[in-house]
Amino acid sequence: MVHYKLSYFPLRGLGETARQLFALANVDFEDDRVPREQWPDFKPKTPFGQMPVLEVDGKALAQSRAIYRYLAKKFGFAGKDDWESAQIDAWADQFADYNNELRPYFVVVAGFGQGDKEKLYADVVEPAREKFLPLVAKQLKENGSGFLVGSKVSWVDLHLAGHIETFLSFVPHFADKYPEVVAHQKKVHAIPELKKWIEKRPQSPF
Ligand SMILES: N[C@@H](CCC(=O)N[C@@H](CS)C(=O)NCC(=O)O)C(=O)O
C-alpha cells in the first residue's frame, strides 16, 4: 500500500484541500502537522523551503496546487476528460489571482502582520470579491450541477469552499450578495466523507 504523508502547519491553510482529497477518496494518510517551533529544522529538508509537502512512499512533492492535482488525478477528482481538467485548472488559477489580491488583508486578520483591518476590508477585499464572486455565481448557475466544473465535485470545489468557509468565519456577511456561492460551500461540505472529516479534524482558526 502506498504511504502518503502530508506535512503542513497545524492549520487548514494550503494543507486542507489535500487532506480533504484523502477524506473524499477514503484513503489513509499521515496528517503531519508541523509545529512552528519545529519548522526551522524541517524547512531545509523540504524541496522549496515551504509547506505543504506531500510524501509518496518517501518521495517529496511541493507546491500546493501540484499536490492537489496529483491527488485529484489519482483519486478521480480532476475532471472526466482533458477539457474538464483544463477548466478546473483555469478556475484554480483565477482563484489564485483573487487570493493574491486578498493577501494584505489576510496577513492582518490572521495575525501575521499589523494594519487597519476595516480599511483593508474596504480597499482590498471588497473590490477583489466584486470581481471574482460574480464569476463564480454565474458559473454555478450556468453549470447547473452545483459544482464549478462538470457534474462531479473536483479539487477546485474543495479549494473554493474552504476559502468561503474561512472568510465567512472572519466576516459573516462576506458573501451575502452571492447566495449561490454560499450554497456551493454548504453543498461541498455536506458531502458525507467531507462532513465526517470536518467533524473530526483538528480545530484551527483558518
Ligand atoms: N506557492 C506555494 C506557497 C507555499 C507557502 O507560502 N507556504 C507557507 C505556509 S502557507 C510556508 O511554508 N511558510 C513558511 C516559510 O516560508 O518559511 C504553495 O502553493 O505551496
Side-chain angles (χ1 to χ4, degrees):
M1 211 171 73
V2 180
H3 183 79
Y4 294 105
K5 176 176 171 181
L6 195 275
S7 298
Y8 190 64
F9 293 109
L11 297 169
R12 296 194 302 278
L14 296 179
E16 184 63 12
T17 296
R19 296 182 189 124
Q20 290 190 3
L21 282 164
F22 286 114
L24 203 52
N26 267 309
V27 171
D28 285 339
F29 74 108
E30 188 181 338
D31 189 4
D32 178 35
R33 293 174 185 248
V34 181
R36 284 266 159 204
E37 320 77 78
Q38 288 174 19
W39 173 234
D41 285 342
F42 186 48
K43 185 177 170 80
K45 298 176 189 144
T46 65
F48 302 141
Q50 290 193 310
M51 293 191 289
V53 172
L54 174 70
E55 272 183 39
V56 183
D57 283 339
K59 289 183 296 179
L61 176 67
Q63 283 291 351
S64 57
R65 278 178 290 160
I67 294 170
Y68 308 155
R69 280 193 199 96
Y70 175 81
L71 294 175
K73 271 189 208 160
K74 280 240 170 275
F75 302 155
F77 301 106
K80 73 171 180 345
D81 54 24
D82 287 348
W83 181 251
E84 277 195 10
S85 214
Q87 292 297 312
I88 290 166
D89 286 348
W91 277 102
D93 286 351
Q94 192 63 29
F95 175 81
D97 289 351
Y98 155 75
N99 217 20
N100 279 340
E101 289 182 49
L102 299 179
R103 200 168 165 73
Y105 173 78
F106 183 77
V107 165
V108 172
V109 83
F112 298 135
Q114 305 241 309
D116 182 340
K117 214 166 60 177
E118 309 309 326
K119 182 165 166 32
L120 284 166
Y121 187 78
D123 293 352
V124 169
V125 176
E126 287 185 334
R129 182 195 63 193
E130 291 314 302
K131 273 193 291 177
F132 185 62
L133 291 197
L135 298 177
V136 174
K138 181 167 173 278
Q139 171 68 9
L140 288 168
K141 269 190 221 153
E142 286 176 5
N143 192 40
S145 68
F147 300 116
L148 266 175
V149 177
S151 58
K152 182 182 164 182
V153 67
S154 75
W155 67 270
V156 79
D157 291 301
L158 307 188
H159 202 34
L160 174 69
H163 159 74
I164 297 296
E165 176 191 23
T166 295
F167 266 66
L168 287 178
S169 76
F170 294 155
V171 181
H173 60 78
F174 169 70
D176 278 4
K177 281 167 67 184
Y178 304 100
E180 300 84 357
V181 177
V182 177
H184 170 266
Q185 183 257 319
K186 289 196 162 69
K187 180 179 170 82
V188 171
H189 289 171
I191 295 171
E193 291 81 0
L194 290 186
K195 190 169 180 286
K196 203 167 128 203
W197 166 256
I198 289 166
E199 279 163 8
K200 72 160 202 206
R201 72 185 171 189
Q203 294 300 303
S204 64
F206 48 83

